[in-house]
Amino acid sequence: TGEAFFSLYPNPATDGVLIQFNGEIPLSGIKAEITNLNGHIIKKAILHPDDLRIPTTDLKPGIYIVSIVLNEKVFSRKLIIR
């Protein structure tokens, strides 16, 4: 299911968050977006299987949504920045 597709570690995070896929890691074209709770895109990243970390030092403390776009599907998880 979409809920179990990936997780975030550590969460809460301070300087970066690692995307952990629960199963097979996609080979390429992993698009990630971090949005605030108002839906505004704060950060975009293209992830590669050998580097699934997103730096978060530029994010203010608060609650964000991390969305992974893969094969036209969107999977989302809540991220807390301290």
Side-chain angles (χ1 to χ4, degrees):
T1 65
E3 283 298 312
F5 182 68
F6 76 97
S7 56
L8 303 171
Y9 179 82
N11 193 4
T14 51
D15 61 345
V17 66
L18 181 68
I19 308 293
Q20 295 180 312
F21 288 97
N22 303 327
E24 190 173 326
I25 296 175
L27 296 177
S28 65
I30 307 164
K31 296 177 187 174
E33 288 183 352
I34 298 178
T35 58
N36 63 18
L37 294 181
N38 294 326
H40 298 155
I41 296 172
I42 304 299
K43 187 171 209 158
K44 288 184 176 186
I46 302 291
L47 304 176
H48 302 281
D50 57 344
D51 184 12
L52 296 173
R53 188 175 180 279
I54 301 174
T56 58
T57 53
D58 55 336
L59 298 180
K60 295 178 182 174
I63 299 173
Y64 297 87
I65 302 297
V66 176
S67 298
I68 300 293
V69 181
L70 188 66
N71 298 331
E72 306 297 322
K73 294 181 182 175
V74 179
F75 305 92
S76 300
R77 305 292 288 167
K78 181 169 67 171
L79 172 65
I80 298 170
I81 299 294
R82 288 200 173 150

